[in-house]
Amino acid sequence: MSDSASGSVDKSVQVKLVLLGEAAVGKSSVVLRFVSNEFQANKEPTIGAAFLTQKCRLEDRVLRYEIWDTAGQERFHSLAPMYYRNAQAAVVVYDVTKATSLEKAKSWVKELQRQANPNIVIALAGNKIDLVQPSVSSPGALSSSESEDEADDATATPGETPNFSGEEPESLRQVPREEAQAYATEAGLLFFETSAKTGEGVVDIFTEIAKKIPIEHILAATRGTARSGTGGRGTGQESGVNLEETVSNSKDGCNC
Amino acid sequence: MSTISTALRNFKEPTKEQLTQIFFSLPSVGSLDGTAKTSAQEVEKMDINAVLSLGVQGVEESYAGKLHIMSPYLAFTSLDRKSVRFTIPLSTIRRVERLNARAGIYALSLSTWHGQKIIVQLTSLRPTADLFCSLLRDALKIELQRGQMKLVKGFVKTCYSEALVSTTSTVADNEREDGSLISEEKADAAPRESTYHGGLGLRFKFPGDPKKLREASKIKLWTIYLREHGRNLTLLRYPQCTRLVQVGLPNRLRGEMWEVLSGSMYLRYSNPGFYEKLLDDNKGRTSTSTEDIEKDLHRSLPEYAGYQSEDGINALRRVLQAYSFKNPELGYCQAMNILAAAILIYMSEEQAFWLLEVLCDRLLPGYYAPSMHGTLLDQRVFESLVQRTLPIIHDHFQVVDVQLSVASLPWFLSLYINSMPMIFAFRIVDCFFCMGPKVLFQVGLMLGSPQAILKINGEKLLQIQDDGGFLNLMRDYFASLGDSAHPDSSDPRARAITKFQELLLVSFREFSVITDDMILSERRRFRSEIIHSIESFAKRSAIRNLKTLGRFSKDQAGLIYDALYKSMCIIPPPAATAPAPVLFNTNDGNEEKPETRIELRTFQYFLSEIATWARNEKIVMNGFQQRVDREIAEHEFIDRLFFFWDTSCRGALSFQDLVSGLDGVMFNDLMENIEWFFNMHDKNKDGFLTKDEVLTLSESFLFIFRYEVGDAYLGAVSRFMTNAFEYGDTLLPQSESENSNDGETSPRPQIESNQPYLNLATFRMVVLADEILESFFEADLSASFRLEPVPEMELPVSNSGLLGNLWSTIATDSNKKIFNTFTDEIGKTIGKHQVIHRPSIGRYTKLEEPKARESLLTPSMRKSPSKASLTGTSSTTTLVTSSSSSLAVDVKAEPAKALPTIPDSASFAPMVHAVNASLMERTPFAIDDAKDDEDESDDEFDDPDNDDQVMDEVDAFLEAHDSGLTDADKEVANDLLHAEPVK
Ligand SMILES: Nc1nc2c(ncn2[C@@H]2O[C@H](COP(=O)(O)OP(=O)(O)OP(=O)(O)O)[C@@H](O)[C@H]2O)c(=O)[nH]1
Ligand SMILES: [Mg+2]
């Protein structure tokens, strides 16, 4: 694992990214989805912070995300600066089924804009949209995710805003898309609605961030070719589309 | 939205006595209100030199040490603090006999519930020994009366060790013991196995493979140990015990041993039924904590079968909730779920509850508090220990700007449970309970140890360029703990050694220099640094979280915050003492985050920091010193302001309310100020003051002007009143102008006294008619609010250790008060005592003749009204209700003669500071000489455990320990083993 130290991959640009947001909104799940394309129904709360990496190919360039996934509970707040210092990007996550989580997200944005690196690229992500989408497939099966891993998460995530089968999904929504979108525009943030469970929207966050990052700054010297996002969402060293292969670094989401 | 906590200010360094209690894992006195201990029945404490030997055949070692009686416990430790120690409840002592031995030897034989015979020879002087014995006798008597003795039997049955020992025990073993008591209990104690407490593991299996864990042989060894050296409440801890713990506790016994080693068993023992009752009493109660707990229930060791079942989840919920009810201020912190889930595998809910209490309270102090100060502090300590013991690593990390705590913080917070495979983490936890918090540091330090990990990882550690690389390396290492440490070795025994075993071995051997004592003193060293950084972080975020700063700059808002913070320290808002703020706005609504609000009393203090008229300042000169005594003023006007600013009508003000309130007055111009003042007195906000309100308003004037020198302001107020009523009357179309006849203001309450009377325009006119009032509203009012830097408050702890402690007790406020009173007295006797009130405004000193400005109605009163006549005007005029005893609140009399040159109030401050500073700098009395001695005796803690024996086989036995005894002493001790009781 020694290669994890420093610039072993010479071509790649390292981007430090931090995830912030209220407890249990799904920060770790979003990262896990991005890094290893998995979903775990019962993810242990993050203590302090967890660290993961993932590469992301954008055009001719490879970004190496160094992701700091932080703890959400309020009392861990004072530790956050330790993690967002020097971050070039931040994903602030809220839970679309929980209005207060957007408030918390806003206060994170405010803090980042005042305290963090001034060029930081911030994305706002409303997670858990799977809970508020009318089940795509009419057959009554609830929350029929494409069950990418073990089958045990096919049912509602326990301990979380429960997705009762009888419930009309849209009624669980507490944060209208428009409201969050309007806020994001006003505050100059990228905006996405995501589901770590189904994977929807997750990769987009990171590719859009990649496009917006002033890589030239980071790269400073190296080639300063122009970039235009032709949906370079792929990250694999060679395949342009899929994320799975790139877990080459074998950092799968174990808390450390 | 923010909470402001002054909790950190209340920290007190543990006293020596508390340290002793901590060493013996005793519950801190008064930590539980539920206990039967009444305060009247002062806990007796005494320690005495003693030599301990055991009435066990074959074990003939004796140890010199100290015997402590800390009712209701008896405790002993050998001088080296590790050869032997015990803490046993007095109620388990069934017989005490004075032994008949050689002349001049004073020895006692104590028989415990479990039939051990502990022989202690009291080596202090005879009278001391006598005193000790009589204390012991009394304490035992009390236990008997409390009925504690009867509880032992039932309690002991809840312990697995009893089942363990009894199943394999032969009757003969116990028959040797005399106690009629014992034999009769044993009859039914033995067979009932199912009564002992146990954890989820009994149902859902314990993690790990019992074969690999060598459960059977561990159980065997423990059975022998427990039978010989006592168990549960009466366990005697010899190095063998520590060693057995270091090779890993057997699963079934683990929970109970954690209880014993951590001392949580004493809490469970002395608080029967507490846990159940706590849950009952709080049934259905919700709080932010319960909400947070709910989120994490399914996220606690989810891979363990027990937590995939409702029973497991419910147990976890109950334990966490119970703790949050017990300690609402701490409530619930993520990571506690992991601890609780882990310990519940090995112990019952009740056991886990008490262990959690000990963890959060004593073993990991402040780790889970809302500010997490304990965590931050220990991270700082850890960093400093790395710097000390592994300078190369530390320097390298500095260079590449890697923060250690990004990795180490979760280790400490979750006792490594979250970071390495569970079976290994639990072994660290075993050692942690047995050997104390230093274990966390030792294990953490081994990460960079040149001898161990560095040999494997060291090169890599030095290649690390950033935080992430560091974390990855650590994670990989942790994941490989089960691998062989020497895979290439030809010796199968060496190959069998796992990296984990090596880790433990190395951490205890290499870092035996890390002692509890060192950690304590490092904590002391960094505490104020941490507190300051937490507080300044809190301050920054409070300011950032303000919805509006108004016209204030951030720095000014900071000054307001400082004043608020100080007032909260002095007069804590009641919320902090009663149910914690966390529990407040909980109506199922996460709508509102808890927010700190202050009540009127705190507000009064706050205002006195900011508004010159909200305090009574006496300048005292007594020939020795000049100082300013400041008191909070109380007046209806201040209350009025409080409610005026309480725009959301909660009876309490938030930081935001204060900022907005001050913003509403501090930037005002003349007209705005007049309006502000008017509105403040217009209670129903109808745009009119009633007559009563005009009076109140005048009183407010009088209050604000109460310390002005000369009659000028008094005159202005009286003119104001006259004019207000005359003008008001004439402007009222249908007013019966009956009270304007005699020219004397006689606002006897009329029928309309509470009806609309004076509108803003009229009020403004009356004010502008008077130069003094005009100037007051023009500038003085706004300027009377001053945002000045609050002098650094002294932290309760100072980093100079014991000396600091002493110093802060000397320099307490009350001592300063004594000093002041003292010098005042002298000053009085030598006729140099002078007291002057400092004016709040201090602009006009001479009585101003009303310069008939514009066309006001005839000033009917031109001479200054006597005080009497003023008070006559309204029954409620209480000028100052402060307790300034010696001084009459006589506005005119004092100042003129007292101080010809009243310094401009601004220039006072430095002088006051100088006075205070010189007071602070007085050399403390001779007490600090005592300091060094104290320190030295603490060093006895130092026990460089020779834990390198871990790797020895489990059955490695005691080597000869330095018992600190001469041969002659040993002989005596041996004699005692065979001595007969007196009489
Ligand atoms: N239905 C659904 N559940 C989700 C989604 N994302 C996360 N969850 C669930 O929400 C819970 C919390 O997810 P985490 O990823 O641990 O949340 P977190 O924000 O990292 O929480 P902290 O580490 O405590 O701050 C878990 O039980 C997840 O399974 C999602 O997109 N849809
Ligand atoms: Mg997380």
Side-chain angles (χ1 to χ4, degrees):
Chain A
M1 227 40 327
S2 50
D3 78 325
S4 60
S6 81
S8 47
V9 190
D10 32 340
K11 271 189 190 172
S12 69
V13 180
Q14 297 206 11
V15 175
K16 178 170 173 182
L17 180 146
V18 61
L19 274 104
L20 300 166
E22 199 177 84
V25 293
K27 297 178 293 297
S28 305
S29 302
V30 166
V31 184
L32 187 63
R33 168 64 73 191
F34 175 58
V35 170
S36 30
N37 202 16
E38 281 176 25
F39 179 76
Q40 289 173 3
N42 295 313
K43 191 105 188 51
E44 290 191 358
T46 311
I47 308 297
F51 175 76
L52 300 95
T53 57
Q54 174 63 302
K55 294 206 183 82
C56 183
R57 167 162 296 207
L58 186 73
E59 294 252 286
D60 54 339
R61 190 178 292 136
V62 179
L63 288 193
R64 183 163 173 276
Y65 277 117
E66 309 216 304
I67 303 170
W68 288 94
D69 168 26
T70 64
Q73 204 191 10
E74 181 60 31
R75 60 188 79 183
F76 287 84
H77 188 139
S78 63
L79 307 176
M82 181 159 84
Y83 303 109
Y84 67 61
R85 67 179 189 139
N86 307 327
Q88 285 113 3
V91 179
V92 179
V93 186
Y94 69 94
D95 175 349
V96 292
T97 66
K98 211 164 159 242
T100 49
S101 68
L102 179 64
E103 290 313 306
K104 183 69 203 170
K106 287 180 182 174
S107 95
W108 276 120
V109 170
K110 206 166 157 187
E111 175 165 345
L112 285 171
Q113 289 176 337
R114 295 204 194 170
Q115 312 273 133
N117 176 352
N119 296 320
I120 192 167
V121 176
I122 306 176
L124 180 71
N127 191 34
K128 305 196 187 177
I129 40 162
D130 58 290
L131 294 176
V132 301
Q133 282 161 339
S135 334
V136 198
S137 46
S138 35
L142 56 153
S143 71
S144 53
S145 65
E146 354 121 5
S147 69
E148 46 299 303
D149 46 330
E150 305 88 314
D152 65 349
D153 63 307
T155 43
T157 52
E160 259 309 293
T161 356
N163 189 4
F164 294 122
S165 44
E167 212 86 34
E168 193 154 276
E170 196 53 36
S171 67
L172 280 173
R173 189 189 267 275
Q174 286 190 4
V175 181
R177 187 189 169 98
E178 302 72 38
E179 181 192 327
Q181 172 78 67
Y183 162 71
T185 314
E186 183 199 324
L189 320 172
L190 295 168
F191 174 70
F192 306 88
E193 285 199 319
T194 60
S195 165
K197 188 165 183 174
T198 65
E200 184 178 345
V202 172
V203 178
D204 306 79
I205 307 175
F206 294 89
T207 41
E208 291 305 310
I209 286 178
K211 289 185 207 163
K212 214 180 157 192
I213 288 264
I215 296 177
E216 288 73 20
H217 278 216
I218 303 170
L219 223 52
T222 350
R223 19 172 208 162
T225 37
R227 69 209 143 83
S228 65
T230 50
R233 50 189 261 130
T235 56
Q237 307 282 23
E238 49 280 326
S239 83
V241 195
N242 235 332
L243 288 167
E244 282 106 306
E245 299 98 345
T246 48
V247 199
S248 55
N249 275 12
S250 86
K251 275 57 167 196
D252 32 11
C254 124
N255 279 346
C256 182
Chain B
M1 278 184 314
S2 47
T3 50
I4 301 167
S5 166
T6 56
L8 294 183
R9 297 274 166 170
N10 304 329
F11 181 85
K12 294 247 161 51
E13 284 295 336
T15 61
K16 223 182 150 208
E17 189 176 307
Q18 284 167 326
L19 288 176
T20 310
Q21 273 178 351
I22 289 173
F23 175 80
F24 286 113
S25 315
L26 288 177
S28 50
V29 185
S31 69
L32 287 171
D33 354 1
T35 45
K37 261 170 261 155
T38 56
S39 52
Q41 177 183 314
E42 252 303 302
V43 187
E44 298 287 4
K45 291 200 178 62
M46 181 174 173
D47 53 63
I48 189 168
N49 294 327
V51 174
L52 175 109
S53 40
L54 273 191
V56 177
Q57 259 138 32
V59 185
E60 305 220 324
E61 266 114 30
S62 319
Y63 299 93
K66 260 206 160 75
L67 187 65
H68 301 253
I69 178 160
M70 290 173 283
S71 188
Y73 299 92
L74 189 72
F76 178 86
T77 173
S78 56
L79 290 176
D80 62 1
R81 290 209 156 202
K82 61 170 186 169
S83 292
V84 63
R85 57 183 274 199
F86 66 72
T87 306
I88 58 181
L90 288 171
S91 44
T92 61
I93 297 180
R94 285 305 143 109
R95 176 172 301 203
V96 180
E97 289 162 325
R98 171 89 189 276
L99 290 184
N100 193 0
R102 299 181 192 177
I105 301 234
Y106 199 125
L108 299 176
S109 158
L110 314 166
S111 310
T112 70
W113 165 267
H114 288 115
Q116 294 153 285
K117 205 166 260 172
I118 300 169
I119 294 167
V120 280
Q121 182 196 338
L122 307 182
T123 51
S124 293
L125 291 177
R126 184 64 183 257
T128 320
D130 280 337
L131 178 61
F132 188 89
C133 286
S134 76
L135 269 183
L136 181 62
R137 190 179 314 119
D138 293 348
L140 282 168
K141 214 176 278 166
I142 290 172
E143 288 307 285
L144 195 64
Q145 283 158 2
R146 279 171 63 203
Q148 287 300 107
M149 303 275 183
K150 290 198 207 93
L151 294 181
V152 180
K153 177 179 165 190
F155 183 83
V156 153
K157 278 189 210 159
T158 65
C159 300
Y160 177 70
S161 56
E162 295 299 321
L164 196 60
V165 168
S166 71
T167 47
T168 41
S169 75
T170 61
V171 189
D173 271 348
N174 294 307
E175 245 173 14
R176 191 172 51 78
E177 314 302 343
D178 66 331
S180 48
L181 282 159
I182 293 167
S183 48
E184 81 195 29
E185 318 291 354
K186 223 170 357 107
D188 51 354
R192 307 206 51 88
E193 249 187 73
S194 53
T195 54
Y196 62 80
H197 283 216
L200 294 168
L202 294 176
R203 267 180 64 196
F204 297 97
K205 293 229 173 65
F206 295 102
D209 172 1
K211 264 235 182 67
K212 270 198 196 144
L213 295 173
R214 290 182 297 168
E215 285 290 293
S217 49
K218 285 179 187 172
I219 282 281
K220 206 157 82 202
L221 287 166
W222 272 107
T223 310
I224 297 168
Y225 187 91
L226 296 174
R227 201 180 300 149
E228 261 171 31
H229 302 100
R231 51 201 169 267
N232 46 67
L233 292 174
T234 68
L235 183 77
L236 307 187
R237 287 163 68 177
Y238 285 91
Q240 171 74 350
C241 172
T242 307
R243 229 156 271 165
L244 284 173
V245 171
Q246 284 172 337
V247 298
L249 283 162
N251 287 326
R252 287 170 169 264
L253 191 60
R254 186 169 253 155
E256 181 186 320
M257 286 309 295
W258 284 352
E259 266 194 300
V260 177
L261 297 170
S262 70
S264 74
M265 181 174 272
Y266 308 125
L267 285 170
R268 179 162 73 91
Y269 172 61
S270 54
N271 297 280
F274 182 95
Y275 171 73
E276 294 298 334
K277 182 160 184 305
L278 185 67
L279 282 175
D280 267 3
D281 291 350
N282 291 285
K283 218 178 200 115
R285 180 155 154 222
T286 57
S287 65
T288 21
S289 299
T290 56
E291 238 175 71
D292 287 353
I293 290 168
E294 220 52 43
K295 278 185 198 161
D296 288 348
L297 286 177
H298 290 268
R299 310 207 279 152
S300 318
L301 308 187
E303 67 275 23
Y304 179 69
Y307 298 113
Q308 288 153 15
S309 89
E310 270 314 292
D311 289 351
I313 295 293
N314 289 337
L316 185 60
R317 175 187 290 117
R318 281 190 296 265
V319 168
L320 287 171
Q321 287 192 349
Y323 184 78
S324 79
F325 297 140
K326 166 115 197 318
N327 186 354
E329 218 165 303
L330 190 151
Y332 167 74
C333 176
Q334 289 188 324
M336 281 166 67
N337 62 325
I338 297 188
L339 291 193
I343 62 182
L344 273 170
I345 297 177
Y346 297 99
M347 47 184 22
S348 70
E349 286 176 44
E350 191 187 0
Q351 288 176 307
F353 169 76
W354 289 114
L355 187 59
L356 202 57
E357 157 98 10
V358 168
L359 273 169
C360 298
D361 223 50
R362 168 147 51 79
L363 295 173
L364 304 171
Y367 270 42
Y368 307 110
S371 65
M372 297 183 76
H373 60 270
T375 302
L376 298 172
L377 180 58
D378 275 4
Q379 289 306 303
R380 185 71 189 78
V381 169
F382 182 60
E383 197 189 311
S384 137
L385 294 180
V386 170
Q387 181 173 13
R388 251 198 236 186
T389 54
L390 306 166
I392 302 174
I393 303 283
H394 181 265
D395 292 350
H396 175 69
F397 277 18
Q398 290 266 291
V399 170
V400 296
D401 193 22
V402 168
Q403 275 178 300
L404 264 179
S405 44
V406 295
S408 56
L409 184 131
W411 301 342
F412 283 70
L413 262 181
S414 64
L415 303 182
Y416 296 89
I417 294 170
N418 207 9
S419 311
M420 58 173 79
M422 267 203 267
I423 46 165
F424 298 132
F426 286 133
R427 288 188 52 186
I428 292 181
V429 174
D430 292 341
C431 297
F432 168 76
F433 285 128
C434 182
M435 295 147 69
K438 68 175 181 216
V439 169
L440 300 181
F441 292 89
Q442 290 170 328
V443 171
L445 280 173
M446 72 77 212
L447 295 173
S449 159
Q451 284 76 9
I453 307 317
L454 200 63
K455 222 191 289 168
I456 311 160
N457 277 335
E459 304 304 312
K460 294 181 191 167
L461 264 187
L462 287 178
Q463 279 163 16
I464 282 170
Q465 298 301 320
D466 54 22
D467 298 349
F470 177 43
L471 275 192
N472 280 336
L473 184 67
M474 285 301 120
R475 190 164 53 205
D476 295 339
Y477 174 70
F478 281 140
S480 72
L481 282 176
D483 301 351
S484 166
H486 311 283
D488 306 327
S489 169
S490 53
D491 179 358
R493 278 182 57 120
R495 250 182 286 135
I497 295 172
T498 60
K499 284 191 187 175
F500 178 79
Q501 285 170 309
E502 197 182 55
L503 181 157
L504 268 197
L505 181 70
V506 172
S507 15
F508 296 147
R509 186 180 57 209
E510 298 295 324
F511 299 105
S512 60
V513 287
I514 310 294
T515 61
D516 293 326
D517 212 30
M518 178 189 283
I519 288 167
L520 277 177
S521 83
E522 289 288 288
R523 282 180 182 165
R524 226 169 7 230
R525 189 149 80 94
F526 293 113
R527 180 163 278 118
S528 48
E529 177 188 322
I530 294 294
I531 291 179
H532 278 300
S533 74
I534 292 175
E535 286 183 344
S536 74
F537 180 83
K539 176 174 163 183
R540 264 182 287 133
S541 44
I543 293 168
R544 189 175 47 239
N545 288 337
L546 284 173
K547 285 199 192 69
T548 165
L549 279 172
R551 283 158 283 185
F552 290 113
S553 70
K554 265 195 204 164
D555 288 345
Q556 287 169 317
L559 293 173
I560 299 174
Y561 181 92
D562 291 342
L564 169 63
Y565 192 81
K566 180 171 179 196
S567 61
M568 285 178 57
C569 287
I570 309 263
I571 306 174
T577 52
V582 202
L583 287 173
F584 269 98
N585 354 347
T586 56
N587 352 341
D588 137 79
N590 353 26
E591 272 117 59
E592 209 157 320
K593 284 272 182 299
E595 184 175 26
T596 303
R597 292 177 168 271
I598 57 170
E599 300 201 316
L600 181 58
R601 298 242 312 116
T602 314
F603 175 72
Q604 289 169 339
Y605 192 96
F606 167 80
L607 201 66
S608 78
E609 283 289 311
I610 289 195
T612 53
W613 39 262
R615 55 191 180 230
N616 304 323
E617 285 183 312
K618 286 182 292 184
I619 302 159
V620 181
M621 284 162 288
N622 56 21
F624 292 93
Q625 49 156 263
Q626 176 172 342
R627 66 170 193 273
V628 175
D629 284 353
R630 187 186 274 197
E631 283 167 347
I632 309 171
E634 285 178 41
H635 189 267
E636 198 196 334
F637 179 64
I638 293 172
D639 307 0
R640 189 176 291 276
L641 192 61
F642 179 81
F643 292 108
F644 188 57
W645 286 357
D646 181 15
T647 46
S648 49
C649 298
R650 288 160 169 265
L653 300 181
S654 67
F655 180 40
Q656 178 70 64
D657 290 335
L658 296 172
V659 170
S660 302
L662 286 169
D663 181 61
V665 60
M666 286 184 65
F667 300 93
N668 286 353
D669 63 16
L670 173 65
M671 291 304 166
E672 287 164 338
N673 264 334
I674 294 177
E675 188 173 348
W676 181 84
F677 205 75
F678 179 90
N679 286 340
M680 236 186 86
H681 291 85
D682 178 14
K683 205 161 188 181
N684 60 0
K685 308 218 167 4
D686 63 351
F688 285 90
L689 299 181
T690 65
K691 276 192 177 178
D692 280 350
E693 284 168 344
V694 174
L695 283 179
T696 326
L697 185 143
S698 314
E699 283 167 30
S700 299
F701 276 142
L702 286 176
F703 166 69
I704 292 174
F705 301 146
R706 68 195 180 285
Y707 293 132
E708 295 316 306
V709 178
D711 294 342
Y713 285 92
L714 216 47
V717 176
S718 76
R719 284 193 301 278
F720 166 81
M721 287 169 72
T722 320
N723 291 339
F725 284 116
E726 287 182 9
Y727 217 15
D729 282 350
T730 42
L731 287 186
L732 279 181
Q734 73 289 47
S735 77
E736 331 83 281
S737 54
E738 75 181 60
N739 51 0
S740 58
N741 314 352
D742 52 2
E744 197 60 281
T745 24
S746 62
R748 301 252 121 244
Q750 299 293 315
I751 326 140
E752 338 102 351
S753 68
N754 54 3
Q755 278 165 7
Y757 180 71
L758 198 74
N759 68 11
L760 177 60
T762 320
F763 175 68
R764 198 183 286 141
M765 231 183 300
V766 178
V767 165
L768 292 179
D770 188 283
E771 190 191 334
I772 293 182
L773 289 185
E774 183 187 340
S775 100
F776 171 69
F777 283 113
E778 173 113 55
D780 297 342
L781 173 60
S782 294
S784 70
F785 293 89
R786 293 184 192 157
L787 300 181
E788 283 157 358
V790 176
E792 253 309 297
M793 265 179 299
E794 240 183 290
L795 276 175
V797 213
S798 100
N799 29 11
S800 48
L802 201 67
L803 177 64
N805 261 342
L806 275 179
W807 176 227
S808 62
T809 43
I810 290 169
T812 55
D813 281 351
S814 63
N815 284 351
K816 275 183 239 165
K817 240 176 236 156
I818 292 169
F819 177 74
N820 288 342
T821 326
F822 175 70
T823 50
D824 284 356
E825 285 310 312
I826 301 185
K828 276 177 198 156
T829 50
I830 59 175
K832 289 222 165 169
H833 190 72
Q834 272 189 325
V835 178
I836 310 148
H837 274 287
R838 183 199 284 181
S840 310
I841 310 271
R843 185 183 296 271
Y844 294 90
T845 51
K846 278 195 237 83
L847 176 61
E848 292 282 321
E849 288 298 310
K851 299 174 191 136
R853 312 174 83 206
E854 272 115 69
S855 63
L856 256 207
L857 307 173
T858 45
S860 56
M861 244 181 123
R862 39 186 46 201
K863 58 180 183 349
S864 72
S866 72
K867 191 175 161 242
S869 77
L870 268 173
T871 35
T873 55
S874 103
S875 49
T876 53
T877 307
T878 43
L879 278 182
V880 199
T881 44
S882 80
S883 56
S884 43
S885 49
S886 62
L887 282 194
V889 194
D890 189 338
V891 188
K892 338 175 252 189
E894 192 91 47
K897 63 161 194 236
L899 190 66
T901 54
I902 289 189
D904 172 20
S905 48
S907 67
F908 260 81
M911 204 180 338
V912 180
H913 289 176
V915 170
N916 282 342
S918 67
L919 184 57
M920 300 298 300
E921 271 158 26
R922 291 186 66 254
T923 17
F925 315 105
I927 306 175
D928 51 344
D929 291 343
K931 174 219 162 200
D932 290 330
D933 302 345
E934 296 285 280
D935 263 3
E936 264 154 34
S937 64
D938 272 348
D939 285 343
E940 287 169 19
F941 261 106
D942 187 327
D943 55 343
D945 297 303
N946 53 354
D947 296 324
D948 33 349
Q949 301 295 329
V950 197
M951 296 308 297
D952 289 358
E953 276 302 53
V954 188
D955 46 5
F957 260 86
L958 300 167
E959 326 96 88
H961 279 281
D962 179 14
S963 53
L965 294 175
T966 64
D967 285 345
D969 289 342
K970 276 185 186 154
E971 203 180 314
V972 173
N974 278 338
D975 273 7
L976 287 174
L977 289 178
H978 312 290
E980 291 297 313
V982 185
K983 280 187 234 160

